[in-house]
Amino acid sequence: MEANRERTISLLVTLVNLWLWANGSSLGQPCTMVGPSCVFDSLNLSSDGLQRLRAFGRGAAPLNQINVKKLITPYPDGIMLQLVSEFVNEVVFERYYERVLRIPANAMLADLTLRHAPETQLILVGAPNAQLVSLEITGSGIRSITDEFRKLHQLQFLILDEGSLETLSLDPFANSTRITNLMFTYNRIRQLIPSRNASLVLPIVDLLLGYNRLETINGDFFRPLRNLSFVTFEGNRIQRVEGRPLVLPQLTMISFVQNQLTQLDVSQWQVPKLREIFLDTNNLTRIPVGIERLPSLITLVVENNLLTAVDLRRFDGWSNLGKIDLTGNRIRNVLVSGTGRVRLPNLQQLHLVNNQLSTIEFGRWDFPELSTLTLAYNRLRQLPDLFRLFPKLWRVVAVHNPLLCRNVRRLQQHIMNFKVNVDTNFFGVPCTTNATFTLPTGREICCVE
């Protein structure tokens, strides 16, 4: 920015530490109080802006926020940030107009946020910075993570959201020994570039890559992420996972929701702590190969895919599995291969809504903890007494099935106790079935003769 050039910026500054200057003219009340904030309609750093901030520093000990509606400054952005860091350690620009964001080495800022920065294409760090902990930029033109980030030694949280990122490499974070959270959602990332540094290890715990343009995932990219616990890829175009198998010893949750996977083999993944895997809205025709080799898995969601059959024998004896969601597939058969029953000792929820099931071998299920069973929108004509088969069951949802009237009458008490949901003539909406019967409570139940 050239000297004396004025730039109007909406600036929100959160105060954590105020430097109480002993020598500075008192200007009385420097701003208007709005709740906990001291609001400046205009602040001109080329005239009395600094003195007004000093006055605020004297009298605002109980306060924690400055809101500047219009900031006028003759200083380049780096110098301006260095100046205001004498008063605050967090700065938020509601709008930022510069092409380059300069982060000074000796500014005492811990948090810097640019909430709308469409013209920003580059970040420059003059020298190693040991103060900045959190950097958040929304809506920028930044296309890649450059080696400038090697100078941000204390960075822990980086958010580049709704921007223009096209590639992602972890190498620029080699000197960020405290980095734990990366969020790059709603960008244009097409490629995850594996590190060339075989010894690189990063302390990243959360990695959010949702709503980008990824078509493949290379397992080599994740080699430095031995502490990764939470990773999301929802809303991409991922068709396959290639390269080396995932080796993520601390991973607890992974999401591939809304992608284009047709198959997935997890048999070689080394993810001993993985508890939840979400595969909603893909093109899978079978449950992932090797899924039963994930010993800590509690939640398996394969909703809205193209499954036509499921063999529960694959899960036999799986002691941790608590929830299976197969809603919105084309399943005609939930079978149990081999002989005997299949035992899932801790399964609590099983969701089979919106499939093509006409019969189910409930008698071959040994699910002692099952509490919720959803069967809505299928082709079932009758149900056994599920509450006798599963002693802890408290809820069955079976609406939109062509249940026979004689079968529904046998379930009458459970229906009256609201433990079984079936089709009801509700609020004057007529039944779509060919028969009805009325409960002692007056509710009219829809059924098929």
Side-chain angles (χ1 to χ4, degrees), residues 77-255:
D77 53 343
I79 295 176
M80 191 274 294
L81 288 175
Q82 185 172 335
L83 283 171
V84 299
S85 74
E86 297 180 1
F87 303 92
V88 302
N89 73 356
E90 180 179 343
V91 172
V92 180
F93 290 88
E94 294 292 343
R95 296 186 64 88
Y96 187 81
Y97 297 95
E98 302 301 321
R99 191 182 73 86
V100 178
L101 171 64
R102 293 174 178 84
I103 300 176
N106 52 356
M108 299 303 294
L109 292 175
D111 301 279
L112 177 58
T113 298
L114 280 58
R115 292 209 172 125
H116 186 65
E119 298 176 34
T120 303
Q121 299 179 18
L122 185 64
I123 296 174
L124 294 179
V125 185
N129 179 293
Q131 288 78 37
L132 193 66
V133 172
S134 175
L135 176 61
E136 177 179 351
I137 304 176
T138 302
S140 77
I142 297 170
R143 298 173 65 180
S144 64
I145 305 295
T146 69
D147 281 346
E148 292 293 303
F149 281 84
R150 291 178 182 269
K151 303 170 187 175
L152 299 176
H153 293 177
Q154 297 299 311
L155 192 65
Q156 295 181 38
F157 306 94
L158 176 61
I159 300 174
L160 300 180
D161 204 14
E162 300 179 20
S164 304
L165 283 178
E166 296 177 354
T167 61
L168 176 61
S169 168
L170 297 174
D171 286 329
F173 303 111
N175 296 330
S176 300
T177 57
R178 301 181 64 190
I179 190 78
T180 58
N181 296 73
L182 299 180
M183 180 175 175
F184 303 128
T185 55
Y186 292 97
N187 277 276
R188 305 171 186 174
I189 299 174
R190 296 179 180 274
Q191 185 180 13
L192 303 179
I193 303 172
S195 173
R196 300 183 298 273
N197 182 355
S199 62
L200 179 65
V201 177
L202 297 172
I204 295 168
V205 175
D206 292 350
L207 176 61
L208 283 71
L209 295 171
Y211 301 98
N212 279 280
R213 300 178 183 179
L214 293 166
E215 296 183 1
T216 62
I217 297 295
N218 191 324
D220 294 320
F221 173 82
F222 297 91
R223 180 181 44 76
L225 303 179
R226 298 175 189 174
N227 294 303
L228 190 65
S229 175
F230 183 95
V231 59
T232 63
F233 298 104
E234 69 271 15
N236 278 274
R237 307 167 183 176
I238 299 170
Q239 300 175 31
R240 61 187 181 276
V241 180
E242 57 189 18
R244 65 179 290 180
L246 293 186
V247 180
L248 298 169
Q250 302 301 321
L251 188 68
T252 60
M253 196 288 291
I254 189 167
S255 172

